[in-house]
Structure formats: C-alpha cells, structure tokens
Amino acid sequence: MEPGGDAARLGLGRAARALPPRLPPLLLLPPLLLGRGLRVAAAASSSGAAAEDSSAMEELATEKEAEESHRQDSVSLLTFILLLTLTILTIWLFKHRRVRFLHETGLAMIYGLIVGVILRYGTPATSGHDKSLSCTQEDRAFSTLLVNVSGKFFEYTLKGEISPGKLNSVEQNDMLRKVTFDPEVFFNILLPPIIFHAGYSLKKRHFFRNLGSILAYAFLGTAVSCFIIGNLMYGVVKLMKMVGQLSDKFYYTDCLFFGAIISATDPVTVLAIFNELHADVDLYALLFGESVLNDAVAIVLSSSIVAYQPAGLNTHAFDAAAFFKSVGIFLGIFSGSFTMGAVTGVVTALVTKFTKLHCFPLLETALFFLMSWSTFLLAEACGFTGVVAVLFCGITQAHYTYNNLSVESRSRTKQLFEVLHFLAENFIFSYMGLALFTFQKHVFSPIFIIGAFVAIFLGRAAHIYPLSFFLNLGRRHKIGWNFQHMMMFSGLRGAMAFALAIRDTASYARQMMFTTTLLIVFFTVWIVGGGTTPMLSWLNIRVGVDPDQDPPPNNDSFQVLQGDGPDSAGGNRTKQESAWLFRLWYSFDHNYLKPILTHSGPPLTTTLPAWCGLLARCLTSPQVYDNQEPLREEDSDFILTEGDLTLTYGDSTVTANGSSGSHTASVSLEGCRKTKSSSEEALERDLGMGDQKVSSRGTRLVFPLEDNA
C-alpha cells in the first residue's frame, strides 16, 4: 500500500465528485460530434448515477452498522443493570431469611457466571473476519492503523497480540466483545468510589488505637507475602518447564508481580458479616485497616516491580542498582500519592470553610464529589497512584472537610459514596463471573493454579503469625491466637487483585496470572467467605458487641479495680492503648490544624505566638469565637497522655505506667484543672469528664497486671 498515492487518488476522486463535468454548447458542435458528445454525456451520466447509488448504499449500510452497535451497547449495559437488580433483590431475600453463608458479592459472581454461559453458548456469531493482512516490513505493532479500501480510509485500533495457535479462534461474536470492558474503566471509574468510601467511612477511634499493628500488617506483611509468593511461584514455573507445561516465557519478575497483585486482600465478605454480627471491634479494625492500606501498598509494589530494569543485556537478572532504584520508586510514588491526596483534602476544606457554599447544599455536594474524584485522576496523570491518593483524600475529607459541610451535605455525601461503593463493587464481582466465559485470553494451567493456592496460604501465614508475635511484645492488649487464626482465615482476594490482573493481559504470563487470580477470587469469596460464621463460633470470638464498647480486660491489659461506669472505663482504655505517635499528633491537630481548616477548636489567637496575631485573626473563623466548644465526632478518638491518668489515693500516687510513690499531700482536682492545656480540657469534655462529673465520682485506680508467665 502507498498511502501517499492513495491519498492523492482519494483527493482527485473527491474533486471529481464535487465538480460535475462541464459540457460544451451543443449548437457549436458538428452533427457527428454532437451525436458522439451525446453518447459520451449519457455514459458519463449513467456512471455518475451508479457511483451516487453506490455511495448512498454505503452510507445506509454504515448507518445500520452504527445503529446495530448502539443497540448492542444498550443491551450489554442493560445486562449488567439487570444483574445488579437481581443481586439486590436476592440480597433482600437473604437478609430477610437471615442467610449468611453467601455474601452479596458471591451472589453477583454466580449471576455473572450464568449470564456468561448464556452469552458464550447461547448467542450465535454475528461478525466474521474476511482475511488477515500481512505487514512484513514493519518491526512493531501500531496503536492506530489507517487502511485504504477502494479509495476510502478506515481507522483500526490495536486490541492486542494473538498467538498463531489461536488465530482461527478469534472471537466473532460482537455481543461478547461489547461486554468485555476496557481495563481502564475499572481503574478510572469503578475503583475510585470504592477506595474513597473506605477512607471516608473509616472509624478513626478503633483505627488509631491499632495504628501501629495495622501499618505493620499492611506494609511489612504485604512485602513479605509478595516475596514469599513470588519465590514459591518461581519454583512452580521451573517445575512446569521441566514437565513441559510451559509454552512461553515466564520470568522471575513476572512471579514477583503475581505475588504483589495477589497479596492485595479484600475481605469484604468477612467484614460484612462482622458488621452484621457486631463482632469484636479490634479484630474488625485490624482486618479493615490492613485491607485498606494493603491495597494501596500492593498497587505501588506492583508498579515498582514493573519499573525494575537491570542494566545489560539480561533484563531479568538481579541487579542491586536496579533493585534499590525500584525501592526508591516505591517510596517516591507512595509518598507523592499520599501528599497529593492530603493536599487535595486540605484545599477542599479551605474552600468549604472560607466560602458560603453551605448555603447551597447542592453545589456544596457537587464540589465535594468532583474534588474527591479528581484526586484519583490527578494522581494518575502525574505518574503517581490514584488508589493511594484517593484513600488519604477520603481520610482527610472525613477529618476536616466533613465538619465544614452543611447538615444536608453531610448526609448527602455519606449516602452518595455509600451507594456508589455498593454498585461499583457488585458490578466488578458480576463482571468477574462474566469474564470467566467471555474473556478470550484465558490460560488454564492446573500446576500453576494449585501452586498459587498453596503459595498464598503460606504467604499469608508467614506474615500474620510472626508479625503478631513481635507486635504482642509491645502491645498492652495482645492479639490473641483466635484473632490471628481469624486474620489468617480472612485473607480473601477481591476487586483490587482482579483489577490489577486484568489491567495488562498482553503476554502469556499475564494471561495465566489473570486466569489464576479469577479462580482464587471465586474460591475465597464462596468457600472462605461462606465459612466465616462457623469460624467465628469455633474460635470463640465475641459477637453482638456494641461498636463503642471495649473488650473485657485480660491478663495482657489493664484491669479496673474500682470504677464508676462503663463510659469512663472505655474512655481510659482508649487513651491508654492509642499509638504514642497519634497522641503527639492529636495535640498539634487540635491546636493548629483544626482551627485553620475547620470552624472548631481553640482560636488561633490563643495558640499561635503573639507575632502571628494578624495571621491568626485571618485564619480563625468567627464561629470559633462564638462557640469554643470542641467539635464532637461520633467516631473520633480521644487521647490523653499518661500523665493525665495519674491519680492520688491517700499518700500513694498510681500512674498508668504502673509507677508509684509516696506523697504527704494529695493533689486537688482544682489544681489539676488549672494546669491542663486547652486540648486536654477538650478531650475531657468529650469523654464526659467535666467539672461537675469529676467532683461527684469516686476514686478510680488503674493497675497493670503482672504477667505470671
């Protein structure tokens, strides 16, 4: 094909059609020439009419094809809407009958499987391939190709590589092609509301109480799981090569990539059952916090593995420089994404604080929605990870921006993202069931699949039990064996692992990973998720617990010898067991960030130095002067230092860390109140420990029990 010549001929053809031939005056021609001219004109007229008819038929055929494509698009979207509708009705039936052995996501997958079977085997082929064109002179594939067909150019886009053995089995069913979505749809449309809702609905009290353990499980645990699974799967690949079951290349970096994407846990089924049964709040916080941060770590870790490029000819050999470069990329992407998400949340908080958008709840809700969603796209456009950015944006929005919204907008944003999260998550699980039969690049390898199940079991065990042992060395409230077994059992895989696997299915190795990931998700959601309720009973884990109630004391926690009510006990335990880093952060946040970004907290004129008076007056809103009561959040964490837990009884002073000493005089409550900072007074008021209540209560002693072992 000669594009230049074809384009020239196409231009001439268009000119000829645009300008009709000009015939000379008939009276000036001799009779013979006149007859010949009439015959030539008649022939030209008939040829032009035929060309116009042909062009009209082509335009009509094109319009029909466009109409048929539009109809198939509508049918494919209608299929998913009907799947979600059927799932919702079945969920209602299950909740009405109190059926817990199958979660809504498992139902969505079953319905997707049924529809996939119908589309695969119940619909005839509606398109065909005439022939294949060879471009032997090119050494690479083009993303867009222009093909000249009889003077007309047609644009074709790249779908992916097809192995020679599957050239004759290319999908010829347009309907199956329509229900196969672009992987970017999952990342740019479906994942953001799921991840944002996880951060926006985070219960900060229980999350920050277990912050250190959650970070250890999410970061160290995911890294350990990735490398253990990757190395075990590399051994499986070597075994497949020995027995002749490996038909293409599968490198060590591919195994590590599989370890990263399959380490993304999504215990949505277990957490839903925990929430319904009101299981132990600390166990719920550990599992939820790990799964939220674990998804973010897994996606950044997989990006770092893809970026691993050793120097030299062997691009898959170990190179220390490339390894540390990948580590740097991991830290850079994660920190950059975290900063971008937090900054977007802060900007939204400032906009909602210094404008009067609260007078227009619809505009306020729309701005909140767009700013939150744009965080994901902005991070992806800048080369960072949108999942991390939108997660921390959600946490920041919940902590600051939420306080500036009107009452109506608070309710709207909570419900909006809850509905979007529900629909997006069930849509993904429905598509998983559908993809088992509609996806055209499946590579089923029994050895690889069995090896993957064994590897994820060992990888999960290798980071849950050792990390729990080391964490218990520094925790007052230990992570018991029953909690560890439940966390081991709850390592389900779900939407994030599927989205990471389907994002790139161009090579043989990635296609095998996608097929295996799909089967692992099916097994964990159906089998492991269905066994959650019996496992809770077998492990003797508390259910029916008030979310604001703390676990009973045991040999590893503080015991209340004399108290004055459950509220006080719960408040003190929260203060004792919160992470020390968060105790430092709380005072800074309460005294500076909250007054700057919200209408709550103490005035900045009382917390900032005197030389910052002008800036303090500009940043402090008038509402703070009118009402200096601290903001009360139903899910906030209340932190006090260990010194605030010091109480005097007789001539002995007992502190939270167990130290004691003799004193000749007791410290009066009035004197204590005079030395307290504004943040501490705010915390006491939030805990219900005001002046009147303190004076009416008896003395409360808190002792750490010694470990008999």
Side-chain angles (χ1 to χ4, degrees):
M1 291 184 293
E2 298 179 358
D6 291 334
R9 287 194 295 273
L10 180 61
L12 290 176
R14 287 179 176 173
R17 287 194 297 271
L19 299 176
R22 299 179 59 187
L23 298 178
L26 299 181
L27 297 178
L28 299 179
L29 296 176
L32 180 60
L33 295 179
L34 179 60
R36 291 179 180 177
L38 290 176
R39 288 194 296 272
V40 171
S45 177
S46 62
S47 176
E52 290 180 0
D53 292 341
S54 176
S55 177
M57 292 296 293
E58 290 179 359
E59 292 178 359
L60 183 61
T62 302
E63 291 178 359
K64 288 185 177 180
E65 289 180 359
E67 184 178 351
E68 180 66 19
S69 176
H70 173 72
R71 187 188 67 83
Q72 291 178 353
D73 289 336
S74 301
V75 171
S76 63
L77 292 177
L78 179 62
T79 300
F80 285 102
I81 291 177
L82 291 178
L83 280 174
L84 292 176
T85 304
L86 186 60
T87 302
I88 291 173
L89 293 176
T90 312
I91 292 170
W92 168 82
L93 181 62
F94 276 32
K95 288 183 178 295
H96 181 67
R97 300 293 182 181
R98 298 185 182 277
V99 177
R100 296 191 181 97
F101 67 87
L102 188 61
H103 187 248
E104 58 201 40
T105 53
L107 281 172
M109 294 170 67
I110 291 176
Y111 290 141
L113 282 172
I114 295 174
V115 174
V117 171
I118 295 174
L119 292 177
R120 163 59 61 188
Y121 302 107
T123 56
T126 56
S127 67
H129 300 275
D130 295 331
K131 63 178 181 178
S132 59
L133 301 177
S134 299
C135 299
T136 56
Q137 297 179 355
E138 303 296 338
D139 57 353
R140 65 184 180 90
F142 295 96
S143 59
T144 304
L145 186 65
L146 297 177
V147 179
N148 182 3
V149 180
S150 301
K152 293 184 178 181
F153 281 88
F154 296 89
E155 181 181 2
Y156 294 85
T157 56
L158 180 66
K159 294 288 291 185
E161 183 181 359
I162 302 173
S163 60
K166 296 185 177 181
L167 190 60
N168 296 325
S169 61
V170 176
E171 183 53 57
Q172 298 186 4
N173 191 325
D174 284 341
M175 189 61 197
L176 292 182
R177 290 182 179 180
K178 294 293 184 181
V179 297
T180 304
F181 286 95
D182 188 340
E184 295 303 317
V185 172
F186 293 97
F187 262 81
N188 296 330
I189 297 178
L190 298 178
L191 275 186
I194 295 176
I195 303 300
F196 182 85
H197 178 263
Y200 195 52
S201 62
L202 184 69
K203 296 295 183 182
K204 296 189 290 294
R205 178 188 178 196
H206 304 295
F207 178 84
F208 286 110
R209 175 189 297 174
N210 300 278
L211 181 62
S213 301
I214 290 172
L215 292 177
Y217 287 128
F219 283 87
L220 292 178
T222 304
V224 170
S225 176
C226 168
F227 283 100
I228 289 180
I229 294 175
N231 284 279
L232 291 175
M233 294 311 298
Y234 188 64
V236 172
V237 169
K238 288 294 185 182
L239 176 62
M240 293 172 60
K241 188 175 182 179
M242 291 175 56
V243 299
Q245 295 294 320
L246 195 66
S247 59
D248 207 339
K249 298 177 180 179
F250 207 120
Y251 297 105
Y252 178 68
T253 51
D254 294 326
C255 297
L256 287 180
F257 179 82
F258 178 72
I261 65 175
I262 208 63
S263 295
T265 59
D266 186 15
V268 57
T269 304
V270 176
L271 293 177
I273 295 176
F274 278 15
N275 191 44
E276 184 177 354
L277 297 178
H278 299 290
D280 190 283
V281 289
D282 280 336
L283 178 60
Y284 183 93
L286 287 172
L287 277 175
F288 180 79
E290 181 207 5
S291 65
V292 168
L293 295 179
N294 159 276
D295 288 347
V297 174
I299 190 172
V300 179
L301 191 59
S302 62
S303 301
S304 303
I305 293 173
V306 172
Y308 177 78
Q309 294 292 338
L313 298 177
N314 190 355
T315 58
H316 294 277
F318 177 77
D319 186 351
F323 171 77
F324 287 108
K325 181 181 178 181
S326 295
V327 173
I329 291 174
F330 173 86
L331 297 176
I333 291 178
F334 196 94
S335 58
S337 303
F338 166 79
T339 303
M340 186 167 292
V343 167
T344 307
V346 167
V347 169
T348 310
L350 291 174
V351 171
T352 54
K353 176 184 177 180
F354 291 104
T355 62
K356 293 190 176 181
L357 277 173
H358 63 273
C359 299
F360 306 94
L362 180 61
L363 300 180
E364 190 178 39
T365 304
L367 178 68
F368 183 92
F369 175 81
L370 294 176
M371 291 291 289
S372 301
W373 201 305
S374 63
T375 305
F376 183 93
L377 301 177
L378 179 63
E380 292 288 335
C382 295
F384 296 110
T385 300
V387 170
V388 179
V390 79
L391 170 64
F392 288 100
C393 175
I395 296 175
T396 307
Q397 301 276 47
H399 192 58
Y400 298 113
T401 311
Y402 182 82
N403 303 319
N404 299 333
L405 301 178
S406 61
V407 176
E408 188 175 352
S409 294
R410 292 182 185 183
S411 176
R412 281 181 176 179
T413 54
K414 286 282 187 181
Q415 294 176 1
L416 173 64
F417 281 101
E418 185 177 5
V419 171
L420 290 176
H421 164 264
F422 173 82
L423 293 177
E425 191 169 59
N426 282 278
F427 184 94
I428 291 179
F429 279 93
S430 298
Y431 186 79
M432 288 185 198
L434 201 69
L436 188 62
F437 292 96
T438 59
F439 187 72
Q440 294 303 301
K441 301 176 183 179
H442 281 303
V443 177
F444 291 93
S445 175
I447 298 178
F448 191 86
I449 293 170
I450 295 174
F453 274 99
V454 175
I456 63 173
F457 177 83
L458 296 178
R460 182 75 178 168
H463 89 262
I464 289 294
Y465 295 114
L467 281 180
S468 299
F469 171 77
F470 288 109
L471 289 172
N472 282 337
L473 297 179
R475 283 179 62 101
R476 293 190 178 99
H477 186 66
K478 310 299 183 185
I479 304 174
W481 283 105
N482 56 345
F483 279 22
Q484 297 179 39
H485 295 329
M486 194 68 216
M487 293 180 68
M488 170 68 193
F489 180 80
S490 303
L492 283 73
R493 271 62 177 178
M496 180 57 69
F498 172 79
L500 289 173
I502 200 176
R503 197 172 192 181
D504 182 7
T505 56
S507 64
Y508 168 82
R510 298 297 176 88
Q511 293 166 10
M512 187 182 296
M513 292 180 203
F514 173 73
T515 303
T516 306
T517 301
L518 202 58
L519 295 177
I520 290 173
V521 172
F522 286 165
F523 178 84
T524 55
V525 170
W526 288 339
I527 306 302
V528 179
T532 301
T533 304
M535 185 62 68
L536 285 172
S537 176
W538 185 63
L539 293 176
N540 295 321
I541 294 176
R542 296 190 312 156
V543 294
V545 179
D546 184 355
D548 295 325
Q549 179 184 351
D550 294 301
N554 53 31
N555 290 336
D556 300 318
S557 64
F558 283 78
Q559 181 180 3
V560 178
L561 299 183
Q562 180 181 353
D564 44 15
D567 295 336
S568 178
N572 276 332
R573 183 183 178 278
T574 302
K575 293 178 289 183
Q576 294 164 16
E577 296 200 354
S578 295
W580 65 269
L581 182 62
F582 187 72
R583 292 203 299 268
L584 299 177
W585 162 259
Y586 187 91
S587 296
F588 176 77
D589 176 66
H590 176 79
N591 292 328
Y592 302 105
L593 295 184
K594 276 289 184 71
I596 292 175
L597 302 177
T598 68
H599 300 295
S600 63
L604 290 172
T605 53
T606 62
T607 57
L608 289 178
W611 56 271
C612 297
L614 179 61
L615 179 64
R617 286 190 294 271
C618 293
L619 294 178
T620 304
S621 62
Q623 290 89 332
V624 174
Y625 296 102
D626 297 337
N627 181 17
Q628 297 185 19
E629 285 291 322
L631 184 68
R632 299 184 183 222
E633 300 180 54
E634 59 183 6
D635 57 352
S636 61
D637 198 3
F638 307 115
I639 312 300
L640 287 179
T641 61
E642 291 181 352
D644 298 320
L645 297 178
T646 302
L647 292 174
T648 302
Y649 184 74
D651 58 353
S652 298
T653 300
V654 182
T655 63
N657 59 11
S659 61
S660 62
S662 299
H663 299 272
T664 58
S666 62
V667 181
S668 65
L669 290 175
E670 185 64 30
C672 292
R673 284 196 296 270
K674 290 181 180 179
T675 60
K676 289 184 182 292
S677 64
S678 61
S679 63
E680 294 166 354
E681 292 174 352
L683 293 172
E684 279 195 352
R685 284 194 296 270
D686 282 334
L687 286 170
M689 296 175 63
D691 296 344
Q692 298 177 356
K693 292 186 178 180
V694 170
S695 61
S696 63
R697 288 177 177 176
T699 304
R700 171 188 174 89
L701 295 182
V702 181
F703 289 96
L705 295 184
E706 298 295 336
D707 191 356
N708 296 328

